[in-house]
Amino acid sequence: MRVQRIGKANPAEDEAVYQAILRALLEGKLKAGTKLAETPLAAIFGVSRERIRKVLHRLGAERRLEMIPNRGARVPRPTLDDIRRVYEAHRVLEAGVLSQLVLRVDEVLLAQLDTHLEEERAAARRGDRAASVRLSGAFHVHLVEALGNPELSRILADLLSRSSVMVSVYEPAAQSICAVDEHGAIVAALRDRDLMRAIAVSREHFLHVEGRLRLDEAAASESEDLAAIFTPVKPLRRKPRSAQS
Amino acid sequence: MRVQRIGKANPAEDEAVYQAILRALLEGKLKAGTKLAETPLAAIFGVSRERIRKVLHRLGAERRLEMIPNRGARVPRPTLDDIRRVYEAHRVLEAGVLSQLVLRVDEVLLAQLDTHLEEERAAARRGDRAASVRLSGAFHVHLVEALGNPELSRILADLLSRSSVMVSVYEPAAQSICAVDEHGAIVAALRDRDLMRAIAVSREHFLHVEGRLRLDEAAASESEDLAAIFTPVKPLRRKPRSAQS
DNA sequence: CCTCCAAAAAATGTGCACATTATGCACCGC
DNA sequence: GCGGTGCATAATGTGCACATTTTTTGGAGG
């Protein structure tokens, strides 16, 4: 008699594994170039290999992993040019957002942005680097979301998530990503409904960030301890046979 | 003895099925709301159900199909608001593209655009509606590609492909999507390096197109003849048992 | 010592059998 | 007649057993 639990429909498992890997990816715990083999991951998460496989392919379709036929999944190792392109895309998109935003700014939005700027300054004053980085990205998210277009928000979120992975590779110290006063200048231009200035400031801002990118090839890493990376996540299902310390 | 051909590695099959469905989707042959069941598709294409399944999920990840757990794949039925959002995203993106383009236009690019405009006019003169629609979309593609940023080109291609599916639902006659002179006005503004005018013209252009959208709810359709839609594609592999006319 | 090649080992890809979930339909009580 | 209920049927989801491909290993030859 086989007590195997097969076909147990549990969509939550898919999602949990997906979120776990995505989170590790976004937090930079998975270094660029790391091979994500199916079997070890299945053992780590305590789920079947097919499930891992599905998640991996999904992440590949979203361009968050690099899938090579018959060779498995790897964390992408973006070129410096790749990163520049992502930044440029972000810059171009934000220019478009600003062009639309000057037509519909109101005091409510300006007040919200001012509040955000204040938070950024506060984080900078108390030297909270993590918060600074997070708020800095949030500023740009705030701008697109002001347009209320989910499509645009999604595109930006995509670009941002990509670049956050990238800075973990190329920004050695990850110091203050965005200077607050540059953000302030954008808001000021927005307040004046001055599109040309807003675009120019935003452009300078991005070029500034791009200029700080450094090629840190030394990071060979290949962090081989996949288990350690995912251990904080409790196993979703006990492996039926063996495979436990 | 089983002569089953299992595990026959043939990545081309995946791609062929993917392209076939995607093409049908882009050409509007698959009406909105149509259910894409796995088993019939497997029979039509002459491949295993797993292969269809994989392709369907991939298309779902790309948001080209709507996947509902345990209920299969359906051709998305976009709201009029959905479409407006896609158009707005395109418009915003193009504004950004233009803001970047005015900084680096040269005679070569302007000449290329002029050539393209001439093609559009020729198509319009001879009443070639299909060519007009195609060239009209190509104009906007041309603009982003001038920036040489694959990331941006991909984003635009994504938006365009989505909206082409949509117009097939909501544009009853699918008459001249973009007036050529509006495209010409954009090029003219670009030639003058007049960003504000270029953005304004582009904006008007898109609002014009958006304004033409009509809600054509009558299209209940549910085109049940999936086989007929995909028949032009020759079966990739003969089904081993039965299932042949 | 290095290079090249063959065989073993490991990892990925695929068809299939079956579990699970949804759907259609006849039946029954009200 | 009508709405809900239970069963039969169809469709989707999943584990598993392999096939295929890639990578590693281990020598033999130069």
Side-chain angles (χ1 to χ4, degrees):
Chain A
M1 123 180 177
R2 305 266 292 277
V3 277
Q4 60 173 352
R5 305 200 269 147
I6 105 178
K8 182 168 87 74
N10 195 343
E13 277 188 6
D14 284 64
E15 197 56 24
V17 173
Y18 172 80
Q19 291 294 340
I21 298 182
L22 181 60
R23 183 186 178 88
L25 217 42
L26 259 50
E27 290 181 353
K29 291 182 179 175
L30 288 168
K31 307 257 179 11
T34 306
K35 171 91 182 283
L36 291 183
E38 299 173 358
T39 316
L41 284 177
I44 290 171
F45 284 103
V47 301
S48 75
R49 188 167 71 88
E50 317 299 307
R51 214 171 276 266
I52 298 288
R53 160 170 270 276
K54 189 165 60 166
V55 170
L56 252 39
H57 278 268
R58 175 176 165 195
L59 286 165
E62 294 169 359
R63 299 167 184 281
R64 302 195 135 93
L65 288 181
E66 187 178 357
M67 301 295 298
I68 309 175
N70 291 322
R71 305 226 357 218
R74 306 188 84 89
V75 179
R77 188 194 298 276
T79 315
L80 198 55
D81 282 341
D82 288 336
I83 300 187
R84 290 224 177 84
R85 275 191 276 269
V86 171
Y87 272 105
E88 186 187 39
H90 190 175
R91 165 163 42 103
V92 167
L93 183 65
E94 182 154 304
V97 169
L98 290 172
S99 79
Q100 188 70 6
L101 224 44
V102 290
L103 300 177
R104 58 165 95 169
V105 271
D106 54 2
E107 288 310 316
V108 178
L109 174 60
L110 288 171
Q112 286 175 357
L113 290 175
D114 281 336
T115 305
H116 185 95
L117 287 179
E118 199 42 57
E119 284 181 46
E120 280 195 67
R121 290 194 196 96
R125 267 198 301 271
R126 81 183 113 93
D128 188 342
R129 188 148 303 173
S132 288
V133 173
R134 186 171 48 77
L135 289 170
S136 180
F139 175 77
H140 299 284
V141 173
H142 211 126
L143 285 183
V144 261
E145 297 212 325
L147 289 183
N149 187 324
E151 203 69 40
L152 281 170
S153 298
R154 201 183 52 76
I155 292 174
L156 182 90
D158 212 59
L159 287 173
L160 253 188
S161 77
R162 200 101 55 92
S163 60
S164 19
V165 178
M166 291 169 167
V167 297
S168 74
V169 186
Y170 289 98
E171 276 259 15
Q175 52 207 359
S176 59
I177 300 296
C178 293
V180 183
D181 47 351
E182 292 182 332
H183 287 177
I186 294 177
V187 173
L190 224 44
R191 176 167 277 118
D192 295 344
R193 268 86 171 168
D194 189 341
L195 175 57
M196 297 299 281
R197 201 173 93 225
I199 289 182
V201 172
S202 167
R203 177 184 159 78
E204 283 305 314
H205 174 47
F206 275 99
L207 291 178
H208 211 240
V209 175
E210 285 177 50
R212 264 206 300 257
L213 292 176
R214 295 286 175 274
L215 185 57
D216 192 12
E217 293 285 16
S221 57
E222 284 288 339
S223 64
E224 67 286 341
D225 51 347
L226 281 179
I229 294 175
F230 292 114
T231 29
V233 180
K234 64 173 186 290
L236 299 166
R237 185 198 292 178
R238 192 62 54 182
K239 266 291 277 297
R241 49 174 176 257
S242 72
Q244 86 191 45
S245 72
Chain B
M1 134 182 179
R2 305 266 293 276
V3 278
Q4 58 171 353
R5 305 200 270 149
I6 105 177
K8 184 166 86 74
N10 195 344
E13 276 189 5
D14 283 64
E15 197 58 23
V17 173
Y18 173 80
Q19 291 294 340
I21 299 183
L22 181 60
R23 185 187 177 87
L25 218 42
L26 259 51
E27 291 180 352
K29 291 182 180 176
L30 289 168
K31 308 262 181 4
T34 307
K35 171 89 181 285
L36 291 182
E38 299 173 359
T39 317
L41 284 177
I44 291 172
F45 284 104
V47 301
S48 75
R49 188 168 70 90
E50 317 301 306
R51 213 172 276 267
I52 299 289
R53 161 170 269 278
K54 190 165 58 167
V55 170
L56 252 38
H57 278 267
R58 176 176 165 195
L59 286 165
E62 294 169 358
R63 298 164 180 279
R64 300 193 136 93
L65 286 182
E66 187 179 356
M67 302 293 299
I68 309 174
N70 291 323
R71 306 231 351 223
R74 307 187 83 88
V75 179
R77 189 194 295 275
T79 314
L80 196 56
D81 281 341
D82 288 336
I83 301 187
R84 289 226 177 83
R85 275 191 277 269
V86 171
Y87 272 105
E88 184 186 43
H90 189 175
R91 165 162 42 103
V92 167
L93 182 65
E94 183 155 302
V97 169
L98 290 172
S99 79
Q100 187 72 4
L101 223 44
V102 289
L103 300 176
R104 58 164 96 168
V105 271
D106 55 1
E107 289 310 316
V108 179
L109 175 60
L110 288 171
Q112 287 176 356
L113 290 175
D114 282 336
T115 305
H116 185 95
L117 288 179
E118 197 44 55
E119 284 181 47
E120 281 194 67
R121 290 194 196 95
R125 267 197 301 271
R126 80 182 113 94
D128 188 342
R129 187 149 302 174
S132 287
V133 174
R134 186 172 48 79
L135 288 170
S136 180
F139 174 77
H140 299 284
V141 173
H142 211 126
L143 285 182
V144 260
E145 296 211 326
L147 289 183
N149 187 323
E151 203 68 41
L152 282 171
S153 298
R154 201 184 52 73
I155 292 174
L156 182 89
D158 212 59
L159 287 173
L160 253 187
S161 76
R162 201 99 56 91
S163 60
S164 19
V165 178
M166 290 170 170
V167 297
S168 74
V169 187
Y170 290 97
E171 277 257 14
Q175 51 206 359
S176 58
I177 301 295
C178 293
V180 183
D181 46 353
E182 292 182 333
H183 287 178
I186 294 177
V187 174
L190 223 45
R191 176 168 275 116
D192 295 344
R193 268 86 171 168
D194 188 341
L195 175 58
M196 298 299 281
R197 202 174 93 225
I199 289 182
V201 171
S202 167
R203 176 183 159 78
E204 282 305 314
H205 174 46
F206 275 99
L207 291 179
H208 211 239
V209 175
E210 286 177 48
R212 265 207 299 259
L213 291 177
R214 295 287 175 272
L215 185 57
D216 192 12
E217 293 283 17
S221 60
E222 285 286 340
S223 64
E224 68 286 344
D225 51 349
L226 281 180
I229 293 175
F230 292 115
T231 30
V233 180
K234 63 173 188 293
L236 299 166
R237 184 200 293 177
R238 192 61 54 182
K239 265 294 275 300
R241 48 175 177 255
S242 71
Q244 94 191 37
S245 71

